[in-house]
């Protein structure tokens, strides 16, 4: 069996894991990251992508609020290509508690969050689709963040600096030697092989999955799975983040995210054994749409692209609490203290917002254990793509042979790295995903540089298949490119295509009405009616089975 | 941010039928097609208006995409709106001249002999080609002497004697280029005992829309709606139009593209063949003489979009002794001012090629089409005489 030796093993390729990996690498520590699926495939990629100003937490959790606003300012500098500084509004509807507004203003100012009341006229000018009957509007420095890009850029930077990353690789066992954790046994689903990694310190950054990983080794880590569901609207129905000014509850936030808008979020306790296959319930969709309509009446007339949900990695430290009431604070556990297991750390809780701070805290502990005295550099060092401001109109011109919408979208997704994609080379300027303007070259770039193993991974790096057609046109083209640019064989490409369509279908299924339904029928007609894809699955050997 | 009423792009299911039917995308790779330029890019333009691609200019606004669309997306409207947003800032002499058909027409008709001679002389054409980028290969349309309105002044007293009457929106073409068509229309309507009135009209606005002067077009639209509403208010008479494109603009583009409400007149506007066909069905057709010719009929794009091409076909079938050959529904390529512009000339010619070949193979005595610019394009590219269906009908009436 293959054996790998390193200093730090990181379990989990979400925002936290990738953040820890980058922090370690920047401090010159050798690190290996293991992710069971893909980068940002868990909770990281399943939230509404809000770059909190902290205002959401200001009244209930001032510590989190302060963390949020501090990280907000840092991330706007180091990860600017993943962030859109849209600004945010808190609006009070006539039926809401009118006192909440003043309380929020007071608490925001206490937490150092820069908020300002604006007139209703100004609010409506900023956001013409907003419900005109709002009573009060408060401006806060909310923004939006793309979690896929954030995690992938962190990983990419680390890999370029020498870190090793295994995606689609599952931890099958924690290897312990007496009271010390010495390594992990893994199974690489893509290469179909088992191997072992030995490290001096292991960091568990697997979020909600931590409990599953720790249990067999006798380490107690009780997670509290709280499901949050969201809906995606076909286009950007709002340009700034719109919050409802009331006690946090379902359907009170609209977040614009690249070409779409999201309505969030519900909160529902679920049982731990369904964390791998959570589903959005019909009543959640109804609540989100009904409440969403109160903020933006337009919602009922637009197409809902899909519904999805994520599991908050909350740690149940005591008793029975509601998902919204558990602090979103950062939890760093040294298992030597809690379970007597040496060289094992768990970093969990927190939010996407505070991933960098979480990574900093975890890496500080790692350094202490390894006796390394190096300072954290992530506060100042921009992630790849964010080195400088790259988006302005003049910048669109030099990229001959690509349309403005393609150039703009590519820069939007890859920041300064877009230069490598948009070279004036004739080949590969064709569109693969027409809804999100992904070119052949961008797919090639992602396969070559961004640890893309299949079309689902490709979607997270490039937005392929995330537009209105949900893979109808781009999926088969992408599958073809995997055989051209990757090592994929024809049969594997078909399997990949089926997996991707199944993954898309999962999110579309709960929202099948109106135009979504027509779209789904059309996609079905292409893949089943034209390609007969349902008949192709027979005869494929099932690869990727665990030992 | 976008307004609620402009969200038809949301219904697009990405079937790409529009791009299959787009005559421009078929002949050039400079234009990515209506799906890309319309509903696809619209989502990005909402995100960032800076992402409008200059390739939207290649759209010739034939509206075939909208006819093809099974999801009722106003594709051409989305593209024209995007185009007008990038054209606003530039000064363009040629586009200005081309879009002000009534202003230029009023001047030109006063000295039409000189203008026509100049327009067909080589030095002037070279100048226009070099400095104004109007293709040297195009024959510029001839101006008539005086205007149709001047001629009508002497006519107006005869028109009051009829019990029933219509308001005739003659358009710039009849007013400045072809008085005969206007006269034929009046002759035809009079033959079924309908009097014809005209109002103070301005250019319908289509050339302005095509050249990106949306504000100006909106101004004209408001004027036309006002005067037409006043003219038809008491008598509840219909408004008939001999130009398919003007009719389409008055009826559909005003509200859809310009956002000008036309509820007061929308139901009254009828393309002339539609109106006459219905009248023929209701009362007796006037006595007609057989023409004994073969005619090829080219249905213009905008008439198809309006849904009136079928009326012209049926009306032509009534003419005795007319051997009617209906051509395949295809764009002729000229699309108003589009084909005159140097940069679009090659595209325009390529689009029309099939149509010209079809006409040549039929070898008719005459070609019929409802649209004045289609007429110019076919006359420039084939050796046949091209007439308006109304003219042919007028010739048949005793």
């Amino acid at each position: 069996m293959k054996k790998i030796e390193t200093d730090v093993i990181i379990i989990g390729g979400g925002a936290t894991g990738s953040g820890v990996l980058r922090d370690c690498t920047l401090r010159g520590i050798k690190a290996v990251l293991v992710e069971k699926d893909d980068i940002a495939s868990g909770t990281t990629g399943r939230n509404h992508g809000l770059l909190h100003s902290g205002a959401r937490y200001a009244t209930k959790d001032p510590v989190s609020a302060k963390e949020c606003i501090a990280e907000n300012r840092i991330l706007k500098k180091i990860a600017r290509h993943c962030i859109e500084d849209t600004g945010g509004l808190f609006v009070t509807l006539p039926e809401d508690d009118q006192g909440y507004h003043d309380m929020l203003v007071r608490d925001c100012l206490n937490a150092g969050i820069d908020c300002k009341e604006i007139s209703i006229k100004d609010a409506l000018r900023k956001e013409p689709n907003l419900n005109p009957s709002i009573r009060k509007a408060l401006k806060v420095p909310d923004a939006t963040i793309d979690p896929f890009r954030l995690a992938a850029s962190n990983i990419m930077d680390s890999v370029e600096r020498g870190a090793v990353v295994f995606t689609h690789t599952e931890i099958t066992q924690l290897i312990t030697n007496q009271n010390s954790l010495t390594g992990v046994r893994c199974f690489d689903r893509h290469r179909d092989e088992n191997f072992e990694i030995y490290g001096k310190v292991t960091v568990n950054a697997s979020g909600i999955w931590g409990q599953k990983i720790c249990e067999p080794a006798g380490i107690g880590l009780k997670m509290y799975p709280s499901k949050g569901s969201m809906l995606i609207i076909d286009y950007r129905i709002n340009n700034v983040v719109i919050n409802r000014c009331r006690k946090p509850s379902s359907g009170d936030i609209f977040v614009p995210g690249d070409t779409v808008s999201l309505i969030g979020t519900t909160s529902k306790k679920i049982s731990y054994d369904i964390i791998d296959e959570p589903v959005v319930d019909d009543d959640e969709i109804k609540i989100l749409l009904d409440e969403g309509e109160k903020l933006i009446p337009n919602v009922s007339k637009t197409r809902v692209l899909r519904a999805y949900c994520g599991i908050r990695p909350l740690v149940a430290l005591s008793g029975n609490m509601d998902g919204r009431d558990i602090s979103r604070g950062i939890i760093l556990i040294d298992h030597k203290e809690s379970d007597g297991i040496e060289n094992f750390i768990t970093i969990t809780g927190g939010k996407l917002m505070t991933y960098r701070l979480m990574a900093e805290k975890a890496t500080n502990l790692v350094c202490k254990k390894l006796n390394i005295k190096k300072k954290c550099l992530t506060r100042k060092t921009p992630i790849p793509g964010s080195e400088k401001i790259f988006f302005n109109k003049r910048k669109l011109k030099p990229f001959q042979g690509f349309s403005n919408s393609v150039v703009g979208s590519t820069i939007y997704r890859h920041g300064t790295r877009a230069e490598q994609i948009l070279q004036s080379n004739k080949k590969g300027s064709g569109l693969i995903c027409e809804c999100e303007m992904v070119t052949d070259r961008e797919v090639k770039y992602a396969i070559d540089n961004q640890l893309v193993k299949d079309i689902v991974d490709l979607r997270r790096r490039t937005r392929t298949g995330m537009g209105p057609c949900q893979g109808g046109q781009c999926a088969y083209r992408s599958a073809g490119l995997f055989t051209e640019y990757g090592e994929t064989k024809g049969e594997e490409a078909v399997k990949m295509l089926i997996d991707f369509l199944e993954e898309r279908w999962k999110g579309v299924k709960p929202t099948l009405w109106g135009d979504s339904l027509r779209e789904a029928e059309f996609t079905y007609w292409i893949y089943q009616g034209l390609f007969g894809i349902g008949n192709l699955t027979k005869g494929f050997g099932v690869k990727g089975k665990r030992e | 941010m976008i307004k609620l009423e402009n969200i038809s792009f949301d219904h697009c299911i990405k079937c790409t039928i529009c791009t299959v039917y787009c005559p421009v995308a078929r002949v050039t790779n400079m234009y990515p097609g209506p799906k890309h330029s319309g509903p696809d890019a619209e989502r990005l333009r909402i995100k960032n208006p800076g992402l409008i691609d200059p390739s939207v200019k290649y759209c010739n606004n034939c509206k075939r995409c909208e006819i093809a669309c099974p999801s009722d997306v106003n594709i051409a409207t989305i593209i024209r709106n995007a185009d007008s947003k990038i054209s606003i800032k530039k000064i363009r002499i040629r586009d200005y001249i081309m879009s002000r058909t009534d202003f230029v027409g009023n001047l030109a008709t006063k000295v039409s002999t000189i203008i026509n001679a100049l327009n067909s002389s080589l030095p002037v054409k070279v100048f226009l080609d070099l400095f104004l980028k109007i293709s040297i290969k195009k024959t510029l349309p001839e101006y008539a002497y005086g205007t149709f309105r001047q001629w009508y002044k002497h006519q107006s007293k005869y028109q009051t004697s009829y019990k029933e009457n219509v308001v005739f929106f003659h358009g710039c073409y009849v007013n400045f280029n072809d008085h005969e068509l206007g006269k034929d229309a009046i002759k035809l309507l009079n033959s079924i005992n309908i009097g014809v009135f005209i109002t103070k009209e301005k250019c319908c606005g289509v050339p302005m829309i095509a050249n990106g002067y949306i504000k100006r077009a909106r101004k004209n639209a408001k004027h036309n709606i006002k005067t037409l509403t006043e003219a038809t208010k008491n008598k509840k008479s219909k408004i008939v139009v001999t130009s398919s494109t003007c009719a389409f603009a008055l009826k559909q583009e005003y509200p859809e593209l310009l956002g000008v409400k036309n509820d007061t007149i929308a139901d009254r506007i009828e393309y002339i063949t539609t109106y006459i066909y219905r009248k023929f069905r209701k009362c007796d057709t006037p006595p007609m003489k057989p023409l004994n010719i073969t005619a090829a009929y080219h249905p213009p794009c905008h008439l198809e979009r309006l849904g009136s091409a079928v009326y012209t076909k049926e009306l032509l079938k009534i003419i005795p002794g007319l051997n009617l050959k209906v051509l395949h529904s295809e764009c002729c390529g000229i699309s108003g001012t589009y084909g005159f512009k140097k940069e679009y000339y090659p595209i325009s010619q390529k689009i029309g090629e099939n149509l010209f070949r079809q006409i040549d193979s039929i070898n008719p005595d005459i070609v019929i089409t409802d649209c004045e610019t289609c007429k110019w394009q076919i006359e420039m590219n084939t050796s046949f005489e091209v007439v308006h269906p109304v003219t042919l009908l007028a010739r048949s009436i005793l």
Side-chain angles (χ1 to χ4, degrees):
Chain A
M1 197 186 292
K2 195 167 84 175
K3 280 176 189 163
I4 297 167
E5 291 219 359
T6 183
D7 290 340
V8 183
I9 301 167
I10 298 149
I11 306 171
T16 318
S18 61
V20 174
L21 181 72
R22 181 164 184 259
D23 203 333
C24 286
T25 321
L26 280 174
R27 294 193 213 197
I29 307 167
K30 264 169 75 182
V32 175
L33 184 143
V34 184
E35 161 59 45
K36 78 176 175 71
D37 194 340
D38 179 35
I39 304 162
S41 58
T43 310
T44 298
R46 303 182 152 272
N47 56 65
H48 45 40
L50 170 69
L51 188 80
H52 280 280
S53 59
R56 252 286 150 240
Y57 301 112
T59 46
K60 208 166 236 170
D61 191 350
V63 180
S64 283
K66 273 179 195 158
E67 278 171 5
C68 276
I69 189 68
E71 286 301 306
N72 179 308
R73 285 173 191 143
I74 294 171
L75 291 182
K76 274 178 186 169
K77 277 184 199 127
I78 66 153
R80 52 167 74 93
H81 86 282
C82 308
I83 289 170
E84 207 181 330
D85 202 354
T86 55
L89 288 176
F90 269 80
V91 297
T92 311
L93 291 177
E95 62 260 45
D96 293 338
D97 171 17
Q98 305 295 315
Y100 195 85
H101 175 90
D102 297 324
M103 199 162 75
L104 187 66
V105 174
R106 188 198 62 210
D107 293 332
C108 276
L109 293 176
N110 280 343
I113 301 160
D114 190 18
C115 67
K116 195 181 148 207
E117 183 165 353
I118 60 168
S119 70
I120 292 161
K121 218 172 120 193
D122 282 347
L124 287 172
R125 195 180 307 131
K126 263 176 180 278
E127 208 57 82
N129 291 332
L130 197 61
N131 186 346
S133 63
I134 53 164
R135 292 287 157 85
K136 279 170 190 164
L138 186 70
K139 210 176 110 191
V140 292
D142 279 347
T144 69
I145 184 158
D146 188 302
F148 301 120
R149 269 167 235 169
L150 182 73
S153 300
N154 271 302
I155 295 271
M156 202 161 66
D157 193 29
S158 313
V159 170
E160 282 168 10
R161 290 172 198 270
V164 180
V165 174
F166 294 97
T167 57
H168 299 278
T169 300
E170 219 168 315
I171 303 279
T172 52
Q173 197 193 332
L174 297 178
I175 308 167
T176 46
N177 186 0
Q178 285 164 347
N179 280 339
S180 174
L181 192 84
T182 52
V184 291
R185 186 163 295 141
C186 317
F187 172 68
D188 185 330
R189 233 177 293 138
H190 256 269
R191 290 207 188 85
D192 204 9
E193 65 172 358
N194 287 288
F195 64 102
E196 282 171 353
I197 310 170
Y198 289 94
K200 290 173 191 153
V201 182
T202 302
V203 180
N204 166 30
S206 58
I208 193 74
W209 287 272
Q211 184 178 330
K212 232 184 207 172
I213 291 167
C214 291
E215 246 165 19
I219 303 165
L221 181 67
K222 184 93 179 109
M223 300 302 293
Y224 181 101
S226 158
K227 182 180 71 168
S229 300
M230 284 142 279
L231 298 178
I232 304 180
I233 303 291
D234 180 27
Y235 61 96
R236 259 172 105 128
I237 199 164
N238 56 319
N239 258 342
V240 303
V241 177
I242 299 173
N243 297 279
R244 191 155 161 194
C245 195
R246 63 169 179 186
K247 224 176 115 222
S249 46
S250 302
D252 56 2
I253 186 163
F254 273 86
V255 186
D258 208 333
T259 51
V260 296
S261 281
L262 306 157
I263 318 177
T265 321
T266 60
S267 183
K268 219 172 186 180
K269 188 188 167 182
I270 59 163
S271 140
Y272 193 82
D273 37 275
I274 58 159
I275 56 163
D276 282 318
E277 293 294 327
V279 283
V280 181
D281 306 321
D282 287 348
D283 59 317
E284 290 180 294
I285 294 179
K286 190 170 174 352
I287 282 194
L288 288 173
L289 281 177
D290 288 351
E291 293 298 309
E293 206 177 341
K294 290 177 189 165
L295 279 175
I296 297 185
N298 224 352
V299 160
S300 55
K301 294 195 175 71
T302 48
R303 184 187 327 186
V304 178
L305 277 188
R306 54 192 285 125
Y308 68 107
C309 56
I311 315 289
R312 299 182 182 92
L314 305 180
V315 185
L317 292 176
S318 67
N320 198 9
M321 293 185 290
D322 177 51
R324 288 190 202 282
D325 290 328
I326 296 182
S327 164
R328 309 287 165 88
I330 299 165
I331 291 161
L332 178 66
I333 305 169
D334 184 346
H335 288 281
K336 188 185 169 191
E337 284 157 26
S338 60
D339 308 270
I341 305 277
E342 289 216 49
N343 303 328
F344 189 45
I345 299 168
T346 289
I347 177 79
T348 190
K351 295 171 289 291
L352 172 66
M353 258 319 282
T354 52
Y355 91 95
R356 196 208 58 82
L357 185 63
M358 290 166 79
E360 185 181 336
K361 286 187 174 179
T363 315
N364 283 346
L365 187 58
V366 167
C367 284
K368 210 172 114 192
K369 285 191 182 287
L370 292 175
N371 230 341
I372 295 172
K373 284 193 182 94
K374 284 225 171 107
K375 273 200 180 142
C376 174
L377 293 171
T378 52
R379 225 173 255 272
K380 292 264 165 67
T381 324
I383 59 171
S386 285
E387 293 88 351
K388 55 185 181 195
I389 301 167
F390 199 61
F391 196 88
N392 60 37
K393 262 200 165 168
R394 246 176 291 133
K395 281 273 162 41
L396 290 176
K397 283 206 175 131
F399 301 111
Q400 291 295 322
F402 294 94
S403 84
N404 282 359
S405 13
V406 170
V407 175
S409 304
T410 314
I411 292 175
Y412 198 82
R413 283 192 283 266
H414 299 278
T416 53
R417 292 282 165 115
E419 276 176 318
Q420 293 178 20
I421 299 167
L422 300 168
Q423 283 154 358
S424 55
N425 181 334
K426 274 270 164 168
K427 196 179 176 297
S429 62
L431 283 181
I432 300 304
C433 171
E434 297 173 47
C435 304
E436 296 292 344
M437 311 279 167
V438 180
T439 53
D440 188 314
R441 293 192 64 86
E442 191 175 339
V443 174
K444 185 176 187 324
Y445 171 82
I447 293 175
D448 291 349
N449 302 297
Q450 293 188 307
L451 296 167
V452 168
K453 299 272 171 68
D454 56 33
I455 312 175
V456 182
D457 298 1
L458 180 71
R459 172 184 74 83
R460 296 196 184 94
R461 309 294 186 281
T462 64
R463 289 190 69 82
T464 301
M466 281 169 118
C469 84
Q470 290 290 303
Q473 310 283 338
C474 53
Y476 58 87
R477 296 176 189 155
S478 305
L481 288 184
F482 271 88
T483 60
E484 200 168 314
Y485 298 136
E487 296 154 3
T488 316
K489 304 245 166 23
E491 203 174 74
E492 288 165 2
V494 177
K495 168 97 176 27
M496 213 180 251
L497 178 59
I498 294 166
D499 287 348
F500 179 70
L501 292 171
E502 286 293 341
E503 186 269 342
R504 290 286 85 186
W505 177 240
K506 233 192 284 171
V508 173
K509 216 159 51 174
T511 64
L512 283 183
W513 66 83
D515 290 324
S516 284
L517 180 59
R518 293 174 58 239
E519 187 79 68
E521 282 288 353
F522 182 55
T523 308
Y524 179 77
W525 174 77
I526 294 177
Y527 287 97
Q528 185 56 36
L530 217 53
F531 295 168
I533 206 160
N535 313 331
L536 291 175
T537 46
K538 288 165 204 152
F540 282 168
V542 186
K543 198 182 146 190
K545 223 180 180 178
R546 224 168 102 171
E547 185 190 31
Chain B
M1 274 313 290
I2 50 150
K3 284 182 209 140
L4 177 64
E5 57 260 37
N6 301 334
I7 55 168
S8 79
F9 71 90
D10 191 28
H11 305 309
C12 172
I13 58 163
K14 315 295 167 196
C15 69
T16 325
I17 287 178
C18 52
T19 299
V20 173
Y21 275 89
C22 176
V24 184
R26 185 169 56 83
V27 300
T28 176
N29 56 10
M30 302 294 285
Y31 183 57
K35 171 178 172 281
H36 178 101
S37 301
D40 282 359
E42 188 70 1
R43 287 176 72 245
L44 295 161
R45 292 189 286 252
I46 294 168
K47 179 177 93 176
N48 179 354
L51 297 182
I52 297 180
D53 194 70
S55 65
V56 292
K57 291 225 146 308
Y58 284 92
C59 167
N60 67 352
N61 204 21
C62 70
K63 310 257 179 202
R64 287 194 176 261
C65 46
E66 293 187 358
I67 301 171
C69 181
S71 308
D72 229 359
V73 181
N74 299 329
I75 309 166
T77 305
I78 294 169
I79 297 171
R80 286 265 67 79
N81 269 326
D83 174 44
S84 69
K85 267 169 210 149
I86 43 176
S87 345
I88 293 168
K89 283 160 200 159
K90 296 174 203 150
I91 302 166
R92 297 155 293 143
I93 301 172
R94 177 196 66 190
D95 294 0
Y96 183 88
I97 296 172
M98 280 190 164
S99 65
R100 298 298 194 279
T101 44
D102 41 3
F103 172 69
V104 177
N106 266 321
L107 290 177
T109 46
K110 291 197 172 83
V111 283
S112 60
T113 350
I114 305 166
I115 291 281
N116 289 341
L118 281 175
N119 275 354
S120 53
S121 73
L122 193 63
V124 172
K125 290 186 90 169
V126 170
F127 171 83
L128 290 176
D129 186 275
L130 286 178
F131 294 98
L132 289 183
K133 305 271 181 263
I134 295 171
S135 175
I136 192 164
K137 290 171 188 147
K138 277 274 179 222
T139 317
L140 293 167
E142 281 193 7
Y143 282 102
Y145 181 70
T147 63
F148 172 74
R149 302 183 70 85
Q150 285 163 351
W151 172 85
Y152 179 84
K153 264 183 207 160
H154 311 291
Q155 273 288 310
S156 54
K157 54 179 179 275
Y158 305 115
Q159 298 301 329
T160 47
S161 57
Y162 296 95
K163 234 189 220 165
E164 212 184 331
N165 50 53
V166 291
V167 174
F168 176 36
F169 188 93
H170 50 70
C172 302
Y173 174 68
V174 166
N175 199 21
F176 305 122
N177 304 83
D178 188 359
H179 303 171
E180 293 310 313
L181 174 57
K183 292 174 191 170
D184 286 339
I186 293 178
K187 179 184 165 191
L188 190 60
L189 288 162
N190 287 169
S191 76
I192 48 173
N193 293 319
I194 292 161
V196 179
F197 291 113
I198 62 172
T199 58
K200 260 199 159 177
E201 61 172 61
K202 280 188 179 172
C203 166
C204 67
V206 166
M208 294 162 194
I209 294 168
N211 288 290
Y213 299 99
I214 296 285
K215 259 192 195 161
R216 186 88 211 178
R218 204 167 279 144
K219 216 170 144 188
N220 280 18
K222 281 181 184 156
H223 171 93
N224 287 335
I225 291 170
K226 204 178 132 207
T227 54
L228 288 172
T229 308
E230 272 166 21
T232 52
K233 201 160 48 186
N234 300 327
K235 298 172 220 125
K236 296 207 167 113
S237 45
K238 293 273 185 190
I239 301 158
V240 297
V241 191
T242 48
S243 161
S244 46
T245 299
C246 296
F248 180 71
L250 292 169
K251 213 173 161 87
Q252 293 194 8
E253 287 203 306
Y254 281 5
E256 277 172 16
L257 202 147
L258 300 175
V260 179
K261 273 191 186 150
N262 65 350
D263 312 349
T264 46
I265 54 163
D267 294 342
R268 299 214 177 130
I269 301 160
E270 266 181 11
Y271 179 65
I272 191 153
T273 57
T274 314
Y275 180 79
I276 291 176
Y277 178 78
R278 285 187 182 147
K279 282 283 165 202
F280 274 20
R281 288 281 120 186
K282 255 187 219 163
C283 56
D284 293 332
T285 42
M288 286 168 144
K289 62 169 183 259
L291 292 177
N292 297 327
I293 51 168
T294 301
Y297 173 57
H298 162 64
C301 304
H302 286 179
L303 195 68
E304 297 236 5
R305 176 76 178 93
L306 195 63
S308 296
V310 63
Y311 290 99
T312 304
K313 278 178 226 165
E314 291 305 309
L315 192 60
L316 289 169
K317 283 182 192 164
I318 293 172
I319 300 176
L322 184 73
N323 180 15
L324 185 68
K325 306 265 187 198
V326 178
L327 298 164
H328 289 308
S329 173
E330 267 184 288
C331 180
C332 72
I334 194 162
S335 316
T337 57
Y338 186 87
F340 287 99
K341 296 175 181 172
K342 202 176 172 183
E343 65 270 33
Y344 307 129
Y345 174 78
I347 296 171
S348 156
Q349 289 302 108
K350 247 188 184 167
I351 293 172
E353 251 171 29
N354 280 344
L355 181 71
F356 311 144
R357 215 176 298 143
Q358 234 192 105
I359 296 173
D360 284 337
S361 72
I362 290 172
N363 195 17
D365 299 309
I366 204 164
V367 178
I368 311 166
T369 191
D370 307 78
C371 169
E372 54 277 9
T373 59
C374 294
K375 169 187 153 86
W376 296 333
Q377 176 83 334
I378 296 168
E379 280 180 345
M380 263 179 261
N381 290 286
T382 65
S383 52
F384 304 100
E385 182 196 2
V386 184
V387 296
H388 194 279
V390 164
T391 309
L392 205 67
L393 270 167
R395 280 185 200 172
S396 167
I397 284 168
L398 287 168

